[in-house]
Amino acid sequence: MALLEIKNLSVGFDTNAGLFMAVQGIDLSVDNREVLAIVGESGSGKSVAMLAVMGLLPKTATVTADSMTFDGHNMLTMTGKQRREIVGRDVAMIFQEPMASLNPCFTVGFQLEEVLRFHMKMDGPTRRKRAIELFKQVGIPSPEERLNSFPHQMSGGQCQRVMIAIAIACNPKLLIADEPTTALDVTIQKQILDLLVSLQVKHGMGLIMITHDMGVVAETADRVIVQYKGRKMEEADVLSLFESPKSPYTRALLSALPENATGDRLSTVADFMKNEAANAGVAP
Amino acid sequence: MTNEVSPPVPLASSQTSGRMARFSEFWFYFSVNKGAVIGFAVLVLLVLIAIFGPLIAPHAPYQQYRDALLTPPSWQVGGKEQFLLGTDAVGRDLLSRLIYGARYSLFIGLIVVTFAMITGVILGVLAGYFRGWVDTLIMRIMDIILAFPPLLLALVLVAILGPGLFNAMIAIALVLQPHFARLTRAAVMSEKNREYVIASKLAGAGHLRLMFKTILPNCLAPLIVQGTLSFSNAILEAAALGFLGMGAQPPTPEWGTMLAEAREFILRAWWVVTFPGLAILITVLAINLVGDGLRDALDPKLKRS
Amino acid sequence: MSEVVLEGRNIVRDYYVGGGLFGKQKTVHAVKGVSFTLEKGKTLAIVGESGCGKSTLGRILTLIDPQTSGELLIDGKPINIAKDRVTAEMRRKVQIIFQNPYGSLNPRQKIGEVLGEPLLLNTNKTAAERRDLAMQMLVKVGLGPEHYNRYPHMFSGGQRQRIAIARALMLSPSLLVLDEPVSALDLSVQAQVLNLLADLQDEFNLTYVFISHDLSVVRYIADEVMVMYYGEVVEYGTREEVFANPQHSYTKTLFAATPKSDVESIRARLAKKKAA
């Protein structure tokens, strides 16, 4: 059975312009030891689906699904307390802005140990040992000293490593990474992606990469879901997606990559959308 | 004394749709706050009463009825039908005086806030835009003003300028003005380094244009909120000064002055102090509620989106 | 054809931090002696990571900040804004486009005013002329005259970047500094904006300085590439030279770190993962 399985998920938001559907009827499943990438542009609802799973959406959102199970638990009928126990321990999430995800008032060591205390009920010395071990795992040099640093004393890449350490502190079964490298430089991005994938292999986690960057997909994913305006356009394993994309949207997206440029000008997704509009005119 | 709202200028259709969209968004956030809507309704009512005062008021505010001194409100024993809220110690109709008093209070609020806002904003923009010694000079003066208890400072100023409604307004405006200066300075400092300002500078905009045409319009939201809150503050302080005999002079039907006149009858005739007090309370509360609503609607940090 | 539009000779920019009542003043060398020449109609890409001084250099080229030392020549004329006032004539030659399309437009200014402002401040054109020119420019960047009276918040990121480009072109500059113009945009929109930039370059024979951290974009758009690392130029040459045969170790690291999305690399990666 899949680790996380979602059927027909829809998320709507109440706005002053009426109900806005951010996600419409998405099916999704992730296995242990699998890297699933969800690709889409801004407004495609790629983050919203995962926030719905984590129960992190604001009150104005309405979430409906036929089923949503994680590791055998039905996430739809779960109480808030049960969900909080699972979120953070079995499912962990890292975000785009590492600096903003860490509390600037506390040392990174304190924030890491807080998670260990809350979810793993460890005592002081064990926590310290585990924290140092985690920092070593995510490749932070001289972990003993770094634990006492404040977030502003570290670089963006270092902060993202701390976030990853916090995320994997409780050996989660599923790690959700929401644009984990968008705010980072290319060289740092490479290091963080390599780290994520190696941790995923080592711990046998499921990993969901939410990204807009086809390069990141190519470098990490096993399987890919392409999303556009809240709908799933295509789901395929990474090789066949890049080799022979089925959906016209994916094809358009790939040909818009500057490295795939043929001739003087790039082909754009607008061309795709024009075609789509034309098709919609013909077929209902 | 009371300003009629000028009718909206006819606009191009696309322009109106933009304004309408903006307004509907504003109203969406504003109406979430029920207190603000109630406050707004009360405020509109007050403004209408102030504007149409002479038509509504049953009596002239200075007319003394020698045979009806300290008449209780009409529903009490001894009350008279013609004096709904009773009369004061010299036989003037309380309701009429309160209605005319609304004109004074709103007038005071309007003038004080306008004056405080204009000077405060200019000083704040200068300080925030130029920084350096200009900033230090202006802000230290503001700090000195802020270091005094506001009412005490207003009292001192009135004592120097001489008692009277106009001098009281100047004093209150001076006391309130540092808040605007500080707020403007902070807003200008955060906007100053935004890219659109640099772009405007590159297009050749001079200092004045950058300060007042490019930056200032983007700093208005917190200023509007501060303006409404200062409005109620001004009314309150004008009333306080009036009560202390330093503001509007009798027989002006200003609410604070009315309170002061009624002080000695507080035990014999509850209505002469209660109704002016209630009038101040309701007005200030309504404006504060509107201010809170505006803050919710205009402050982008509180907006969830 | 080989007319040099922009030349930098040993440009240095230092920042002084601290130096208050206590604590010693520290000097940060943001740009350490950069030299280059750029011909008309060409695109120079400045590549580097955050904090390498590429944006600082961009601000010097656009006459926003003065250089600490070194010479900057635009159209062969030396200019140093620390000494002389920027004349309207100089300002008309160089314009900049910023990375963040949400921050670079005044939210309280209608598009018409945004485009009209440079003309209002630098020319004697009448309101009607300004209006006509702004309308024409809107069409040129792929928007329409109907957008003239709208506010920036009614536009998407890509459309705003088009407006920013239109504004920069209002004074018909010869040199455009593009500071990460597409990195805040979605892939599809990025392609459109890059195409637009290429079209405009052909039409007006514009010279671009393209600041970016994205090597795939640089490879697509640049004629010459300059790689910066901690304020220094570590690699400078034509696109073919730099991409085919990088000399400096940093450039090589940069290339190695860029994600590869061709099928062979994916196949290799998957095979490696399976073996592990």
Side-chain angles (χ1 to χ4, degrees):
Chain A
M1 204 181 80
L3 181 63
L4 175 71
E5 188 149 23
I6 301 171
K7 286 221 169 75
N8 197 16
L9 173 74
S10 295
V11 182
F13 287 96
D14 259 335
T15 67
N16 58 339
L19 191 70
F20 169 72
M21 293 306 289
V23 175
Q24 303 178 37
I26 295 266
D27 297 337
L28 183 155
S29 73
V30 200
D31 285 324
N32 287 317
R33 312 180 168 279
E34 185 186 36
V35 184
L36 171 72
I38 305 181
V39 207
E41 310 200 311
S42 51
S44 64
K46 57 190 191 297
S47 298
V48 174
M50 284 303 112
L51 289 172
V53 173
M54 301 283 281
L56 293 175
L57 287 174
K59 282 210 176 76
T60 49
T62 44
V63 180
T64 55
D66 290 350
S67 76
M68 199 196 278
T69 51
F70 172 75
D71 201 21
H73 305 280
N74 185 348
M75 309 259 310
L76 284 174
T77 55
M78 206 173 262
T79 63
K81 192 161 178 281
Q82 286 167 322
R83 190 194 287 267
R84 274 196 298 282
E85 257 170 40
I86 289 183
V87 167
R89 195 186 61 206
D90 291 340
V91 194
M93 194 158 179
I94 51 178
F95 298 95
Q96 177 175 348
E97 281 294 337
M99 296 285 200
S101 324
L102 288 165
N103 187 337
C105 296
F106 299 103
T107 63
V108 290
F110 178 86
Q111 295 181 53
L112 175 55
E113 288 181 31
E114 197 180 23
V115 179
L116 295 172
R117 194 180 64 219
F118 184 75
H119 284 295
M120 310 287 274
K121 316 268 184 281
M122 286 180 179
D123 59 1
T126 343
R127 282 209 301 268
R128 194 79 188 169
K129 237 175 76 193
R130 173 82 174 132
I132 292 173
E133 184 190 312
L134 281 166
F135 265 34
K136 273 187 193 143
Q137 265 190 44
V138 297
I140 295 177
S142 51
E144 290 86 352
E145 288 145 46
R146 273 331 207 162
L147 280 174
N148 296 322
S149 304
F150 286 93
H152 67 90
Q153 295 169 322
M154 309 177 93
S155 67
Q158 295 271 333
C159 280
Q160 196 59 290
R161 285 174 194 270
V162 173
M163 283 309 296
I164 294 172
I166 291 175
I168 62 164
C170 310
N171 297 318
K173 294 174 179 141
L174 177 65
L175 181 61
I176 302 173
D178 187 356
E179 304 265 7
T181 57
T182 307
L184 304 175
D185 282 323
V186 215
T187 45
I188 313 291
Q189 160 169 306
K190 171 90 176 155
Q191 294 166 11
I192 296 287
L193 291 180
D194 288 349
L195 173 68
L196 278 173
V197 171
S198 72
L199 286 171
Q200 181 263 331
V201 172
K202 193 167 144 203
H203 293 276
M205 297 184 286
L207 174 62
I208 299 183
M209 289 286 270
I210 302 171
T211 182
H212 69 277
D213 188 337
M214 279 300 187
V216 171
V217 176
E219 291 272 324
T220 55
D222 298 326
R223 207 152 49 82
V224 187
I225 289 178
V226 182
Q227 231 170 285
Y228 176 69
K229 287 196 175 162
R231 294 176 195 280
K232 180 151 79 175
M233 304 308 285
E234 178 161 5
E235 179 170 356
D237 65 271
V238 64
L239 202 56
S240 46
L241 186 93
F242 279 88
E243 218 165 24
S244 53
K246 301 232 165 27
S247 136
Y249 177 70
T250 318
R251 274 204 293 277
L253 213 52
L254 285 173
S255 61
L257 283 173
E259 53 261 48
N260 294 350
T262 47
D264 248 10
R265 297 289 184 268
L266 297 164
S267 59
T268 65
V269 182
D271 307 339
F272 154 74
M273 286 190 278
K274 237 176 266 158
N275 291 341
E276 191 195 42
N279 291 342
V282 181
Chain B
M1 201 158 81
T2 44
N3 292 343
E4 282 283 342
V5 182
S6 60
V9 191
L11 302 160
S13 65
S14 62
Q15 210 170 337
T16 32
S17 74
R19 294 258 161 94
M20 284 306 290
R22 255 187 198 202
F23 180 77
S24 86
E25 190 198 332
F26 164 77
W27 186 251
F28 177 80
Y29 286 107
F30 186 79
S31 59
V32 168
N33 190 335
K34 291 286 172 274
V37 177
I38 294 169
F40 184 68
V42 173
L43 192 62
V44 168
L45 195 70
L46 271 169
V47 171
L48 289 178
I49 288 176
I51 293 173
F52 298 108
L55 301 176
I56 310 167
H59 303 278
Y62 301 112
Q63 170 93 47
Q64 299 180 1
Y65 296 90
R66 297 297 170 116
D67 50 346
L69 306 181
L70 288 178
T71 312
S74 58
W75 62 87
Q76 270 208 326
V77 185
K80 287 182 184 163
E81 199 69 10
Q82 62 182 128
F83 306 119
L84 188 64
L85 297 180
T87 59
D88 66 4
V90 287
R92 291 171 296 198
D93 177 44
L94 213 52
L95 177 64
S96 308
R97 283 178 70 77
L98 284 177
I99 289 174
Y100 276 87
R103 297 184 131 195
Y104 278 95
S105 288
L106 294 177
F107 173 65
I108 291 168
L110 200 70
I111 297 292
V112 166
V113 168
T114 313
F115 185 72
M117 204 181 226
I118 290 175
T119 54
V121 162
I122 291 177
L123 289 175
V125 168
L126 288 174
Y129 184 82
F130 287 111
R131 306 300 309 276
W133 65 267
V134 180
D135 184 27
T136 316
L137 182 73
I138 293 175
M139 291 327 284
R140 287 307 83 77
I141 294 174
M142 296 300 132
D143 286 347
I144 292 170
I145 297 178
L146 283 171
F148 286 97
L151 193 60
L152 187 68
L153 184 62
L155 267 176
V156 171
L157 285 169
V158 173
I160 296 169
L161 297 168
L165 186 59
F166 185 70
N167 288 344
M169 290 197 295
I170 293 180
I172 298 166
L174 267 173
V175 171
L176 289 178
Q177 170 267 113
H179 297 281
F180 287 99
R182 280 192 150 186
L183 209 59
T184 315
R185 172 176 174 265
V188 168
M189 273 160 56
S190 71
E191 290 294 315
K192 197 182 100 179
N193 291 322
R194 297 279 299 275
E195 282 165 346
Y196 70 85
V197 180
I198 298 175
S200 201
K201 204 170 169 181
L202 276 181
H207 291 310
L208 273 180
R209 191 185 171 86
L210 283 179
M211 279 193 279
F212 292 103
K213 199 143 194 274
T214 312
I215 299 178
L216 188 59
N218 289 297
C219 305
L220 282 183
L223 288 174
I224 291 170
V225 175
Q226 178 67 27
T228 49
L229 298 179
S230 295
F231 198 99
S232 62
N233 237 339
I235 293 175
L236 213 54
E237 275 179 21
L241 283 179
F243 183 77
L244 295 170
M246 295 297 212
Q249 296 300 308
T252 318
E254 199 270 327
W255 293 340
T257 315
M258 284 167 73
L259 272 178
E261 284 173 49
R263 197 169 29 188
E264 48 194 293
F265 308 104
I266 196 163
L267 293 176
R268 281 199 284 142
W270 57 269
W271 57 93
V272 283
V273 282
T274 309
F275 291 122
L278 268 180
I280 296 173
L281 174 82
I282 291 171
T283 312
V284 169
L285 188 64
I287 296 172
N288 277 344
L289 285 173
V290 172
D292 274 351
L294 283 179
R295 186 195 306 259
D296 290 355
L298 294 177
D299 191 343
K301 273 188 217 133
L302 294 174
K303 241 183 232 180
R304 55 213 147 80
S305 61
Chain C
M1 190 57 217
S2 62
E3 179 193 346
V4 173
V5 175
L6 182 69
E7 187 171 357
R9 290 184 195 150
N10 208 17
I11 291 177
V12 173
R13 169 80 193 177
D14 296 338
Y15 285 111
Y16 303 101
V17 281
L21 196 48
F22 314 100
K24 237 165 102 190
Q25 200 175 43
K26 273 201 288 188
T27 311
V28 177
H29 306 285
V31 177
K32 305 173 189 166
V34 172
S35 307
F36 59 90
T37 55
L38 183 57
E39 287 169 10
K40 193 164 183 58
K42 299 275 185 196
T43 301
L44 168 71
I46 305 178
V47 189
E49 304 199 329
S50 49
C52 73
K54 58 185 195 296
S55 286
T56 310
L57 184 59
R59 288 170 70 98
I60 293 173
L61 299 183
T62 333
L63 314 178
I64 297 172
D65 292 334
Q67 67 269 32
T68 310
S69 70
E71 269 183 277
L72 175 66
L73 291 91
I74 297 175
D75 278 347
K77 268 184 239 148
I79 182 162
N80 187 346
I81 61 166
K83 293 189 194 118
D84 330 294
R85 254 184 83 83
V86 185
T87 58
E89 187 207 354
M90 269 301 174
R91 198 176 289 122
R92 296 176 68 155
K93 285 185 181 157
V94 198
Q95 285 293 328
I96 189 167
I97 289 159
F98 295 102
Q99 169 178 9
N100 181 358
Y102 292 88
S104 62
L105 296 176
N106 186 343
R108 306 261 162 177
Q109 221 176 9
K110 275 188 233 151
I111 303 312
E113 292 170 47
V114 172
L115 299 185
E117 194 178 37
L119 294 175
L120 173 74
L121 295 169
N122 292 292
T123 64
N124 301 321
K125 292 197 162 52
T126 63
E129 283 174 317
R130 291 201 299 267
R131 194 184 160 85
D132 286 347
L133 285 169
M135 297 272 196
Q136 285 169 21
M137 191 54 79
L138 276 175
V139 176
K140 219 155 243 165
V141 297
L143 296 167
E146 70 273 17
H147 297 114
Y148 185 85
N149 267 327
R150 298 200 185 153
Y151 284 95
H153 70 96
M154 301 158 86
F155 292 92
S156 67
Q159 285 175 318
R160 287 182 200 215
Q161 205 59 304
R162 285 170 192 269
I163 295 164
I165 292 170
R167 172 179 59 192
L169 291 177
M170 284 311 283
L171 291 172
S172 25
S174 54
L175 177 67
L176 217 49
V177 175
L178 306 147
D179 190 354
E180 307 253 11
V182 293
S183 40
L185 303 177
D186 275 329
L187 185 57
S188 57
V189 184
Q190 168 181 312
Q192 291 168 6
V193 172
L194 287 175
N195 284 346
L196 173 67
L197 287 172
D199 289 342
L200 292 170
Q201 184 166 41
D202 290 352
E203 186 174 347
F204 298 108
N205 199 13
L206 290 167
T207 313
Y208 288 157
V209 174
F210 193 97
I211 300 170
S212 178
H213 68 272
D214 188 337
L215 283 171
S216 57
V217 173
V218 167
R219 181 176 220 155
Y220 167 70
I221 201 165
D223 297 307
E224 284 168 51
V225 180
M226 186 160 102
V227 183
M228 286 182 75
Y229 187 57
Y230 285 110
E232 266 169 288
V233 175
V234 295
E235 191 108 25
Y236 177 40
T238 64
R239 169 178 60 177
E240 288 73 23
E241 283 166 15
V242 172
F243 278 89
N245 186 17
Q247 298 298 316
H248 195 271
S249 63
Y250 174 71
T251 318
K252 288 176 193 159
T253 321
L254 210 55
F255 285 161
T258 307
K260 287 162 203 66
S261 57
D262 54 307
V263 177
E264 282 71 46
S265 331
I266 297 171
R267 199 167 272 146
R269 177 177 69 81
L270 290 176
K272 212 167 125 194
K273 191 175 173 184
K274 203 167 267 174

